[in-house]
């Protein structure tokens, strides 16, 4: 299968504004931000989408959410609040087939999403 855009960001073939990295995860600013703070947290190991995650991905998914909360804290969003979003499939608005968790904050976010 051909590499996804996010795999090319992980391997530094495509530049990104990276805000966090460890052995299993990478986080970088969204190129088309929908809020003053808009960061994507991705696993380095490819899981196409949350709907395809397996029981063996349990630890990775836990790490992803804990890292998202930690990054949100580091970016100053703990007090004002923020939203974590995982889009899955066409109706979910998923455009890149590599699991990613959006961190959105820095403004009041409407609910429900349009
Ligand atoms: P989704 O629509 O949930 O699949 O989210 C994919 C996100 O990737 C969108 O918010 C895009 O703006 C973002 N995106 C696409 N290309 C890049 C890139 N080169 N660097 C950072 N973010 C990107």
């Amino acid at each position: 299968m051909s590499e996804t855009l996010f795999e090319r960001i992980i391997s530094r073939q495509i530049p990104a504004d990276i805000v966090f990295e460890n052995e299993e995860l990478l986080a970088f600013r969204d190129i088309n931000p929908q809020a003053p703070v808009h960061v994507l947290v991705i696993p380095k190991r490819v899981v196409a989408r949350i709907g395809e995650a397996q029981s063996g991905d349990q630890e990775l998914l836990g790490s992803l959410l804990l890292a998202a909360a930690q990054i949100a804290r580091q970016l100053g969003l703990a007090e004002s609040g923020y939203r974590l979003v995982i889009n899955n499939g066409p109706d979910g608005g998923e455009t890149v087939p590599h699991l990613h968790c959006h961190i959105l904050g820095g403004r009041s976010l409407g609910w429900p999403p349009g």
Side-chain angles (χ1 to χ4, degrees):
M1 218 172 91
S2 64
E3 273 189 331
T4 65
L5 171 68
F6 290 170
E7 284 175 277
R8 296 205 290 275
I9 288 177
I10 293 166
S11 63
R12 307 302 204 264
Q13 293 170 64
I14 293 178
D17 185 354
I18 292 170
V19 298
F20 172 87
E21 180 168 24
N22 67 14
E23 265 183 27
E24 53 182 0
L25 304 169
L26 186 71
F28 51 91
R29 291 188 193 274
D30 197 291
I31 204 166
N32 182 23
Q34 302 301 310
V37 177
H38 188 174
V39 166
L40 303 174
V41 191
I42 68 172
K44 290 183 176 175
R45 174 161 64 75
V46 179
V47 175
R49 58 192 57 81
I50 191 67
E52 290 181 24
Q54 307 289 315
S55 55
D57 299 318
Q58 185 169 330
E59 202 175 317
L60 183 63
L61 295 178
S63 300
L64 183 79
L65 286 178
L66 287 171
Q70 182 193 326
I71 293 161
R73 261 194 308 277
Q74 283 171 1
L75 295 175
L77 300 176
E79 293 298 317
S80 54
Y82 55 91
R83 185 170 295 163
L84 303 183
V85 174
I86 297 177
N87 294 327
N88 188 97
D91 280 359
E94 176 199 331
T95 59
V96 180
H98 182 136
L99 177 63
H100 49 283
C101 177
H102 297 254
I103 305 171
L104 293 151
R107 68 171 170 85
S108 180
L109 299 162
W111 190 263

